[in-house]
PDB file of all heavy atoms in Angstrom:
ATOM      1  N   VAL A1547      14.912  -2.860  -6.106  1.00 84.00           N
ATOM      2  CA  VAL A1547      15.627  -2.111  -5.076  1.00 84.00           C
ATOM      3  C   VAL A1547      15.402  -0.635  -5.324  1.00 84.00           C
ATOM      4  O   VAL A1547      15.774  -0.100  -6.366  1.00 84.00           O
ATOM      5  CB  VAL A1547      17.137  -2.449  -5.075  1.00 84.00           C
ATOM      6  CG1 VAL A1547      17.844  -1.602  -4.025  1.00 84.00           C
ATOM      7  CG2 VAL A1547      17.348  -3.922  -4.809  1.00 84.00           C
ATOM      8  N   GLU A1548      14.749   0.005  -4.357  1.00 81.00           N
ATOM      9  CA  GLU A1548      14.435   1.429  -4.473  1.00 81.00           C
ATOM     10  C   GLU A1548      15.392   2.219  -3.588  1.00 81.00           C
ATOM     11  O   GLU A1548      15.525   1.949  -2.390  1.00 81.00           O
ATOM     12  CB  GLU A1548      12.997   1.655  -4.028  1.00 81.00           C
ATOM     13  CG  GLU A1548      12.556   3.104  -4.112  1.00 81.00           C
ATOM     14  CD  GLU A1548      11.122   3.287  -3.628  1.00 81.00           C
ATOM     15  OE1 GLU A1548      10.475   2.274  -3.309  1.00 81.00           O
ATOM     16  OE2 GLU A1548      10.672   4.434  -3.578  1.00 81.00           O
ATOM     17  N   HIS A1549      16.078   3.180  -4.198  1.00 82.00           N
ATOM     18  CA  HIS A1549      16.993   4.036  -3.425  1.00 82.00           C
ATOM     19  C   HIS A1549      16.252   5.238  -2.884  1.00 82.00           C
ATOM     20  O   HIS A1549      15.545   5.931  -3.623  1.00 82.00           O
ATOM     21  CB  HIS A1549      18.162   4.498  -4.299  1.00 82.00           C
ATOM     22  CG  HIS A1549      19.128   5.365  -3.553  1.00 82.00           C
ATOM     23  ND1 HIS A1549      20.023   4.868  -2.630  1.00 82.00           N
ATOM     24  CD2 HIS A1549      19.341   6.715  -3.597  1.00 82.00           C
ATOM     25  CE1 HIS A1549      20.728   5.866  -2.137  1.00 82.00           C
ATOM     26  NE2 HIS A1549      20.339   6.975  -2.701  1.00 82.00           N
ATOM     27  N   GLU A1550      16.377   5.469  -1.601  1.00 81.00           N
ATOM     28  CA  GLU A1550      15.715   6.600  -0.966  1.00 81.00           C
ATOM     29  C   GLU A1550      16.751   7.485  -0.291  1.00 81.00           C
ATOM     30  O   GLU A1550      17.754   7.002   0.236  1.00 81.00           O
ATOM     31  CB  GLU A1550      14.684   6.134   0.071  1.00 81.00           C
ATOM     32  CG  GLU A1550      13.529   5.353  -0.523  1.00 81.00           C
ATOM     33  CD  GLU A1550      12.456   5.042   0.490  1.00 81.00           C
ATOM     34  OE1 GLU A1550      12.650   5.398   1.674  1.00 81.00           O
ATOM     35  OE2 GLU A1550      11.434   4.441   0.108  1.00 81.00           O
ATOM     36  N   ASP A1551      16.516   8.774  -0.325  1.00 87.00           N
ATOM     37  CA  ASP A1551      17.389   9.710   0.403  1.00 87.00           C
ATOM     38  C   ASP A1551      16.589  10.797   1.105  1.00 87.00           C
ATOM     39  O   ASP A1551      17.090  11.888   1.365  1.00 87.00           O
ATOM     40  CB  ASP A1551      18.428  10.314  -0.529  1.00 87.00           C
ATOM     41  CG  ASP A1551      17.808  11.061  -1.704  1.00 87.00           C
ATOM     42  OD1 ASP A1551      16.566  11.169  -1.741  1.00 87.00           O
ATOM     43  OD2 ASP A1551      18.577  11.528  -2.579  1.00 87.00           O
ATOM     44  N   GLU A1552      15.324  10.484   1.408  1.00 89.00           N
ATOM     45  CA  GLU A1552      14.456  11.436   2.090  1.00 89.00           C
ATOM     46  C   GLU A1552      15.000  11.764   3.460  1.00 89.00           C
ATOM     47  O   GLU A1552      15.293  10.851   4.259  1.00 89.00           O
ATOM     48  CB  GLU A1552      13.055  10.839   2.205  1.00 89.00           C
ATOM     49  CG  GLU A1552      12.083  11.671   3.029  1.00 89.00           C
ATOM     50  CD  GLU A1552      10.810  10.903   3.369  1.00 89.00           C
ATOM     51  OE1 GLU A1552      10.761   9.682   3.110  1.00 89.00           O
ATOM     52  OE2 GLU A1552       9.897  11.531   3.909  1.00 89.00           O
ATOM     53  N   PRO A1553      15.151  13.049   3.792  1.00 94.00           N
ATOM     54  CA  PRO A1553      15.578  13.407   5.163  1.00 94.00           C
ATOM     55  C   PRO A1553      14.538  12.943   6.172  1.00 94.00           C
ATOM     56  O   PRO A1553      13.330  12.960   5.896  1.00 94.00           O
ATOM     57  CB  PRO A1553      15.665  14.928   5.125  1.00 94.00           C
ATOM     58  CG  PRO A1553      15.769  15.287   3.657  1.00 94.00           C
ATOM     59  CD  PRO A1553      14.993  14.216   2.936  1.00 94.00           C
ATOM     60  N   LEU A1554      14.980  12.553   7.345  1.00 94.00           N
ATOM     61  CA  LEU A1554      14.062  12.125   8.386  1.00 94.00           C
ATOM     62  C   LEU A1554      13.149  13.264   8.809  1.00 94.00           C
ATOM     63  O   LEU A1554      12.036  13.025   9.281  1.00 94.00           O
ATOM     64  CB  LEU A1554      14.834  11.608   9.593  1.00 94.00           C
ATOM     65  CG  LEU A1554      15.143  10.106   9.615  1.00 94.00           C
ATOM     66  CD1 LEU A1554      15.878   9.735  10.882  1.00 94.00           C
ATOM     67  CD2 LEU A1554      13.874   9.295   9.458  1.00 94.00           C
ATOM     68  N   GLY A1555      13.590  14.488   8.606  1.00 95.00           N
ATOM     69  CA  GLY A1555      12.750  15.615   8.933  1.00 95.00           C
ATOM     70  C   GLY A1555      11.446  15.610   8.158  1.00 95.00           C
ATOM     71  O   GLY A1555      10.398  16.016   8.689  1.00 95.00           O
ATOM     72  N   ASP A1556      11.487  15.125   6.914  1.00 94.00           N
ATOM     73  CA  ASP A1556      10.259  15.039   6.115  1.00 94.00           C
ATOM     74  C   ASP A1556       9.294  14.042   6.755  1.00 94.00           C
ATOM     75  O   ASP A1556       8.074  14.257   6.734  1.00 94.00           O
ATOM     76  CB  ASP A1556      10.591  14.628   4.685  1.00 94.00           C
ATOM     77  CG  ASP A1556      11.350  15.684   3.913  1.00 94.00           C
ATOM     78  OD1 ASP A1556      11.555  16.799   4.468  1.00 94.00           O
ATOM     79  OD2 ASP A1556      11.728  15.438   2.758  1.00 94.00           O
ATOM     80  N   TYR A1557       9.833  12.944   7.260  1.00 94.00           N
ATOM     81  CA  TYR A1557       8.993  11.918   7.899  1.00 94.00           C
ATOM     82  C   TYR A1557       8.341  12.490   9.153  1.00 94.00           C
ATOM     83  O   TYR A1557       7.162  12.278   9.424  1.00 94.00           O
ATOM     84  CB  TYR A1557       9.827  10.690   8.222  1.00 94.00           C
ATOM     85  CG  TYR A1557       9.033   9.537   8.763  1.00 94.00           C
ATOM     86  CD1 TYR A1557       8.305   8.703   7.902  1.00 94.00           C
ATOM     87  CD2 TYR A1557       8.967   9.256  10.121  1.00 94.00           C
ATOM     88  CE1 TYR A1557       7.552   7.636   8.400  1.00 94.00           C
ATOM     89  CE2 TYR A1557       8.244   8.200  10.630  1.00 94.00           C
ATOM     90  CZ  TYR A1557       7.537   7.405   9.771  1.00 94.00           C
ATOM     91  OH  TYR A1557       6.790   6.350  10.250  1.00 94.00           O
ATOM     92  N   PHE A1558       9.130  13.235   9.944  1.00 96.00           N
ATOM     93  CA  PHE A1558       8.581  13.852  11.142  1.00 96.00           C
ATOM     94  C   PHE A1558       7.495  14.882  10.795  1.00 96.00           C
ATOM     95  O   PHE A1558       6.488  14.968  11.502  1.00 96.00           O
ATOM     96  CB  PHE A1558       9.706  14.503  11.953  1.00 96.00           C
ATOM     97  CG  PHE A1558      10.504  13.558  12.783  1.00 96.00           C
ATOM     98  CD1 PHE A1558      11.879  13.470  12.661  1.00 96.00           C
ATOM     99  CD2 PHE A1558       9.862  12.740  13.706  1.00 96.00           C
ATOM    100  CE1 PHE A1558      12.597  12.585  13.441  1.00 96.00           C
ATOM    101  CE2 PHE A1558      10.577  11.847  14.495  1.00 96.00           C
ATOM    102  CZ  PHE A1558      11.951  11.774  14.362  1.00 96.00           C
ATOM    103  N   ASP A1559       7.711  15.624   9.731  1.00 96.00           N
ATOM    104  CA  ASP A1559       6.696  16.613   9.320  1.00 96.00           C
ATOM    105  C   ASP A1559       5.399  15.909   8.940  1.00 96.00           C
ATOM    106  O   ASP A1559       4.304  16.365   9.295  1.00 96.00           O
ATOM    107  CB  ASP A1559       7.206  17.413   8.114  1.00 96.00           C
ATOM    108  CG  ASP A1559       8.312  18.368   8.489  1.00 96.00           C
ATOM    109  OD1 ASP A1559       8.501  18.624   9.686  1.00 96.00           O
ATOM    110  OD2 ASP A1559       9.029  18.864   7.573  1.00 96.00           O
ATOM    111  N   ALA A1560       5.514  14.780   8.221  1.00 94.00           N
ATOM    112  CA  ALA A1560       4.308  14.031   7.836  1.00 94.00           C
ATOM    113  C   ALA A1560       3.614  13.453   9.051  1.00 94.00           C
ATOM    114  O   ALA A1560       2.374  13.422   9.127  1.00 94.00           O
ATOM    115  CB  ALA A1560       4.698  12.918   6.854  1.00 94.00           C
ATOM    116  N   PHE A1561       4.397  13.009  10.030  1.00 95.00           N
ATOM    117  CA  PHE A1561       3.809  12.511  11.286  1.00 95.00           C
ATOM    118  C   PHE A1561       3.033  13.614  11.996  1.00 95.00           C
ATOM    119  O   PHE A1561       1.900  13.408  12.449  1.00 95.00           O
ATOM    120  CB  PHE A1561       4.913  11.966  12.194  1.00 95.00           C
ATOM    121  CG  PHE A1561       4.433  11.627  13.588  1.00 95.00           C
ATOM    122  CD1 PHE A1561       3.786  10.426  13.828  1.00 95.00           C
ATOM    123  CD2 PHE A1561       4.622  12.514  14.635  1.00 95.00           C
ATOM    124  CE1 PHE A1561       3.331  10.113  15.098  1.00 95.00           C
ATOM    125  CE2 PHE A1561       4.176  12.220  15.925  1.00 95.00           C
ATOM    126  CZ  PHE A1561       3.541  11.009  16.153  1.00 95.00           C
ATOM    127  N   GLU A1562       3.624  14.779  12.062  1.00 95.00           N
ATOM    128  CA  GLU A1562       2.957  15.894  12.745  1.00 95.00           C
ATOM    129  C   GLU A1562       1.650  16.288  12.068  1.00 95.00           C
ATOM    130  O   GLU A1562       0.674  16.628  12.738  1.00 95.00           O
ATOM    131  CB  GLU A1562       3.896  17.111  12.809  1.00 95.00           C
ATOM    132  CG  GLU A1562       3.333  18.265  13.616  1.00 95.00           C
ATOM    133  CD  GLU A1562       4.324  19.393  13.792  1.00 95.00           C
ATOM    134  OE1 GLU A1562       5.375  19.368  13.135  1.00 95.00           O
ATOM    135  OE2 GLU A1562       4.025  20.288  14.596  1.00 95.00           O
ATOM    136  N   ARG A1563       1.598  16.195  10.742  1.00 94.00           N
ATOM    137  CA  ARG A1563       0.385  16.530  10.004  1.00 94.00           C
ATOM    138  C   ARG A1563      -0.635  15.407  10.013  1.00 94.00           C
ATOM    139  O   ARG A1563      -1.755  15.586   9.532  1.00 94.00           O
ATOM    140  CB  ARG A1563       0.730  16.894   8.542  1.00 94.00           C
ATOM    141  CG  ARG A1563       1.650  18.104   8.391  1.00 94.00           C
ATOM    142  CD  ARG A1563       1.641  18.600   6.953  1.00 94.00           C
ATOM    143  NE  ARG A1563       1.830  17.572   5.962  1.00 94.00           N
ATOM    144  CZ  ARG A1563       3.016  17.141   5.519  1.00 94.00           C
ATOM    145  NH1 ARG A1563       4.123  17.668   6.032  1.00 94.00           N
ATOM    146  NH2 ARG A1563       3.097  16.209   4.612  1.00 94.00           N
ATOM    147  N   GLY A1564      -0.255  14.244  10.513  1.00 94.00           N
ATOM    148  CA  GLY A1564      -1.180  13.102  10.539  1.00 94.00           C
ATOM    149  C   GLY A1564      -1.413  12.530   9.166  1.00 94.00           C
ATOM    150  O   GLY A1564      -2.522  12.120   8.821  1.00 94.00           O
ATOM    151  N   VAL A1565      -0.338  12.444   8.359  1.00 93.00           N
ATOM    152  CA  VAL A1565      -0.476  11.960   6.978  1.00 93.00           C
ATOM    153  C   VAL A1565      -0.699  10.449   6.928  1.00 93.00           C
ATOM    154  O   VAL A1565      -1.565   9.963   6.196  1.00 93.00           O
ATOM    155  CB  VAL A1565       0.782  12.355   6.165  1.00 93.00           C
ATOM    156  CG1 VAL A1565       0.841  11.585   4.859  1.00 93.00           C
ATOM    157  CG2 VAL A1565       0.792  13.852   5.893  1.00 93.00           C
TER     158      VAL A1565
END
Side-chain angles (χ1 to χ4, degrees):
V1547 178
E1548 180 181 356
H1549 180 74
E1550 295 187 357
D1551 58 4
E1552 173 192 9
L1554 269 181
D1556 291 356
Y1557 186 80
F1558 280 124
D1559 289 345
F1561 171 80
E1562 185 174 10
R1563 299 195 312 272
V1565 166

